[in-house]
Amino acid sequence: MELLYDVVILFGLAVFVVAISQRLRVPSLVGFLLTGMVAGPSGLGLTDAHNVELLAELGVVFLLFTIGLEISPQRLRKLGRYLSIGGPLQVGGTTVVVAGIALASGVEPRRALFYGFVAALSSTAVVLKLYQERRELESPHGRVGLGILVFQDFLIVPLLLVVPILAGTSGASAGEVAARFGGGIVVVAVVFFLGRYPLRWALDFIVATRIRELFVLGALFASLGGALATEHLGFSLALGGFLAGLLIAETEYHHQVLAETAPFRDAFNSLFFISIGMLLDLGFVAEHLGSVVGLSVGLFLLKAVVIYLAVAALGLPNRVRIIAALGLAQIGEFSLVLARAGFQAELLDPDNYQRVLAAAIFTLLATPAAIALAPRLAALMPGRSTPQEESGPPPQVVVVGAGLHGRHLARVLTEGRIPYRILEIDRFRARAARERKQPVLFGDATRRDILEAAGLEQAVLLVLGVSDLDAQRRILSLARRINPRIHIIVRTRALDEIEELDRLGADEVIAEEFETSIEVVTRVLFRLHLPRNVINTQARLLRQDGYQMLRVTGPTGGLSKDMIQALASSTTETFLLPNDHPAAGRSLRDIDLRARTGATILAVTRETQPHSNPSPTFVLEAGDLLVIHGSHAELEEVGVWIEVESPESEEAEGSELSSGAP
């Protein structure tokens, strides 16, 4: 009952604190930490921290289970060099610098190395949530940040395995560390290969039952069972959860597993972060406020410098380096997991553990403001990018971004022999575009000199294919000053950005979500045999005034009067009579299409020769183009008549019957 009482108190307080945090635009993780600080022994003393430790351990298991689910081979391939180069450079650089400073301060090597590990990890939960809210996950700094964060998440399991070695005597050899790593690899390999197929078969069986509760229980059994198995083998509970997630990530069910376990994961994760907050001694922080603040600021700045250099090694420009550095410079949630393990293994004494907790909480609290201010700071910093000039005529079109949209547009412009230039901030994408013989300039389009070097003053059209809203704002502002007459087209994913982009000077804003809906509408109307000019008119009206018609609610809010009339009335459509169709060689009287469908044949075109108002004795031939008038339902019946009685349909029916199908 005491445990239940503590959990109820914590959840009730968390609801209140997290709600206030959201109003202040502070991440939920920070709200949970604050909840623990308020409820903990040094706060109001509402609960006992020891009573929630078991549930907190389960939170770590589910946290790593989720990471395993999300680290799929497909996702790793997409992250590319950001993961394989940027991640190791950032983690290795931060670890070496922090460990070096600790050694110089007289800390013994094993503890110094552990301090480096703790400082190297950033907050995946906070950073990705903020980037997602700001719609910057697909921006250059969003992609590089995701790559580094995924590498850090993957690294937490080996780091947890090393903690017992570092916690041993100072004479622990490199061979022992290697053996520990090797043992972990063997466990991973054995569990992966032995559990891969049985787990898939078990999931297949569970899914076949169509019982949702059984699916939830199976997912929980996999995560907690894996944790228990590795714990019995002498490894951590977290490793088992991670391995279970990896195994399920290899199946087609991992998205559903992720969705079904989300409530449990979120509940236990919240308890973990609340328990971390409960462990923070507010009296210690108040007594050592100067040193705690100094440590927090020092770690934040030191880590930002290392990340800046790591991103620079990837060939990304100054603006991306600054934004990524300030976004990832905090001490993250996995640092707290590692610090907790180190404290239990006596790698951290109580005072230093409190300093780590305080530094993590302070830097997490500072992260939303740092991410918000980073683009403005980057704009103030000097950083002239030197474009690589391409020979050729002055461009009529300047395209910002060599991603998917930029590549397709460049192909069309090339085929149309329209002079253009591409501006790309990613040197690897720029190199790929250059290999395709496309006129590309490497440079940051948010810089005036880069836009001028691309020939914006002479261009008649600017197309922004990037999804970074802050970059779009700056480019629009600069472009209007450089060439007030230029026509600017901007792509956006977010509907609420249309009005702001219009206000900043965009002539046309293409909203991906609306364009998808318009494409669906036009295909449906085409299938209903509406006249093509009516369909085109409707699509044009839907795009007018920033898709205003699509924002209108009501039974027919988005439809024009012409479209409503066209949907209610009859229309005309053309049908091609297939080869060897049963109607070929028969007269119009014989097929009696009006009796079959209610529609009327107005004309027949044969080898470009039209035959208007054909007589009942007119004989049809294969390849004739039939011009037919009728209602939408009648024309649909004509389509069925054309398809069902075609020789292909008859052959398919015959083969089905011959195979013994019912």
Side-chain angles (χ1 to χ4, degrees), residues 190 376 486:
V190 170
R376 302 177 188 176
I486 196 169

Side-chain angles (χ1 to χ4, degrees), residues 87-374:
L89 286 177
Q90 182 273 319
V91 173
T94 305
T95 301
V96 169
V97 172
V98 172
I101 295 174
L103 284 172
S105 302
V107 178
E108 59 180 313
R110 62 191 181 95
R111 295 182 188 275
L113 184 60
F114 180 76
Y115 294 163
F117 290 156
V118 171
L121 305 180
S122 305
S123 176
T124 302
V126 171
V127 174
L128 293 190
K129 179 177 176 61
L130 291 172
Y131 278 171
Q132 187 176 34
E133 291 176 351
R134 294 170 59 87
R135 302 182 182 94
E136 295 178 359
L137 280 176
E138 295 301 321
S139 65
H141 59 270
R143 293 195 301 270
V144 71
L146 179 60
I148 292 174
L149 289 169
V150 169
F151 179 83
Q152 293 178 0
D153 292 346
F154 191 83
L155 200 63
I156 183 61
V157 171
L159 292 181
L160 287 173
L161 292 175
V162 171
V163 167
I165 295 295
L166 295 178
T169 62
S170 58
S173 66
E176 290 175 318
V177 177
R180 184 70 176 179
F181 264 113
I185 293 173
V186 170
V187 169
V188 171
V190 170
V191 172
F192 187 81
F193 286 107
L194 294 183
R196 187 175 186 180
Y197 296 106
L199 182 60
R200 179 182 289 273
W201 296 333
L203 288 174
D204 287 340
F205 170 77
I206 290 172
V207 171
T209 65
R210 298 179 179 272
I211 302 175
R212 178 177 177 272
E213 292 82 358
L214 188 59
F215 192 86
V216 175
L217 289 173
L220 292 175
F221 173 78
S223 59
L224 298 178
L228 190 61
T230 54
E231 198 267 343
H232 278 299
L233 291 173
F235 295 94
S236 67
L237 290 168
L239 176 61
F242 179 76
L243 292 177
L246 275 181
L247 288 173
I248 296 177
E250 289 290 309
T251 72
E252 61 269 33
Y253 307 120
H254 71 279
H255 291 296
Q256 187 64 27
V257 171
L258 192 62
E260 296 290 0
T261 57
F264 302 96
R265 178 196 68 213
D266 294 341
F268 286 121
N269 287 352
S270 64
L271 283 173
F272 168 74
F273 291 115
I274 289 173
S275 69
I276 292 295
M278 293 172 69
L279 295 175
L280 183 65
D281 187 342
L282 298 180
F284 177 88
V285 173
E287 185 179 350
H288 302 84
L289 185 61
S291 63
V292 168
V293 171
L295 177 65
S296 303
V297 173
L299 283 175
F300 193 92
L301 295 179
L302 185 149
K303 195 170 179 180
V305 171
V306 174
I307 296 170
Y308 179 92
L309 296 175
V311 178
L314 295 173
L316 294 171
N318 194 52
R319 178 176 177 275
V320 178
R321 303 174 199 174
I322 293 175
I323 298 177
L326 293 178
L328 303 178
Q330 72 288 134
I331 308 300
E333 61 270 10
F334 283 130
S335 296
L336 298 177
V337 174
L338 197 60
R340 184 185 181 92
F343 177 65
Q344 294 171 342
E346 298 183 355
L347 276 172
L348 285 175
D349 59 49
D351 286 355
N352 284 330
Y353 182 49
Q354 290 299 322
R355 289 188 175 92
V356 170
L357 291 178
I361 292 173
F362 286 176
T363 56
L364 286 170
L365 288 170
T367 296
I371 289 179
L373 294 175

Side-chain angles (χ1 to χ4, degrees), residues 52-62 237-238 268 272 275 340 344:
V52 296
E53 284 186 353
L54 176 59
L55 297 179
E57 289 288 344
L58 293 179
V60 178
V61 171
F62 278 109
L237 290 168
F268 286 121
F272 168 74
S275 69
R340 184 185 181 92
Q344 294 171 342

